[in-house]
Amino acid sequence: MRIVVVSTNTLLKPLPALPVGAGMVYSALAAAGFETCFVDLAFVEEPLEVLRETLEAFRPELICLSVRNIDNQVIQQPESYLPFIREVMKVCRTSSSARVMLGGAAMLVMPAELVQALGADYGIKGSGGEAEAVRLARELEQGLAPETGTVRIADPAYHPVYSRIPPKLLFAPQYFIPNPRIKKASMGYQASRGCSRHCIYCSEGYNQPVACRIPAEQFREDMRILETEYQVHNITFVDGVFNHDVEETLAFCQLIGRTSPSLEWSCALTPAQITEELIRALKENGCRFVDIGADSASRQMLRRMGKQFTPEQLVTLGRLLEQYHLPYSVSLLFGGPGECEATVQETVQVVNEMNPVYILASQGIRVYPHTSLYHVALQEQVIRPEDDLLTPVFYQSKEYNAGLLTKALEGSRHIYKDMLMNSIGGRT
């Protein structure tokens, strides 16, 4: 069976995201014996034409489309990426008779809706899609095609053969050019799947509520590939939360140090699972930068947002990182349920007690099905049950507006930046 795997993401700012997931699907299908072709639409001048030419020349029987984002999640200038994906689907249908399967990060939040809206044949939801793609391809090859519109739930467990880093030559060299404005490494690596947190706006904890760490043997082999083939010695762990459990994370840090003593890396930490021993282990085993996904520093808002830590724990984490000379950023999300002038002021005042390299601040929260925020938005009549949430819809507290943040930042010790690293207020 001939299969084309397509990375549909063309977004290059603030940093092009290496399509490792799509690459893993390609590698898994190739390892399973399928004749496989990989197409990345990110750095080509005419992506639809490149796709059309590939499909006509390769004549696939299955097309796997990786969809990274549904939209930009920015309330001030919402932009949907689905019009382009629809054009991609149109090319697939007019240039090939192959079945089309959807995968990628977007399928974690609205899988059935995407399959239906885009007119795909099948979908795979969740981390671990590479092994599920192999299973689906084998069924199709054997004439056991699932019902059209079927969405498979991927097993997040790492497969010993299929869950492998793809060859570096699969990717455009532009992915490996560092951006001096971004502290994180351009090479992302996922060391765990699923999430044990229950933030109100996120569907990952709902869909895959238990974090699954990569087995040590696979990690060691992946690091060997990164250092020898990719010649990469600086990575970002893209796990939603790196420290689900203190003892397990300690052991993993020590594994990193034993496996790749020269590796430098960054990660995202929650203040909920922190000890000084863990911060020391991060430092001693190569960690060079930390992102604290706080969302807020207001006690009331942390509780409302489903965060499992207190303002005191947030400040303690900052001080421990400073003690061990680990630079860090803080990510904040303003406008959630109950946000008001007092909670905004509280957040800015608490963050004033910390010394992050930079602060990322978003306003308004994208509403997705299967989240606690979805039910809040329904109750407050921000949305209706029949609303199409593929079109960007945002929740913002009725007591919040951007002016409250602007006013609060007059008392900030720090510059606050948006997701494109543009200053939105504050002072040094």
Side-chain angles (χ1 to χ4, degrees), residues 197-199 201 241 243 269-274 292-317 330-332 347 350-351 354:
R197 308 292 103 186
H198 298 285
C199 304
Y201 51 80
V241 173
N243 57 323
L269 296 181
T270 170
Q273 298 287 338
I274 291 297
I292 305 176
D295 292 344
S296 179
S298 158
R299 193 178 309 277
Q300 172 185 318
M301 290 305 301
L302 289 172
R303 184 171 59 251
R304 296 290 297 270
M305 297 283 280
K307 313 302 282 189
Q308 298 169 322
F309 59 87
T310 64
E312 291 80 9
Q313 287 175 300
L314 173 61
V315 173
T316 296
L317 172 55
V330 175
S331 298
L332 299 172
T347 290
V350 170
V351 175
M354 306 170 70

Side-chain angles (χ1 to χ4, degrees), residues 20-31:
V20 175
M24 290 176 69
V25 170
Y26 164 86
S27 295
L29 291 165

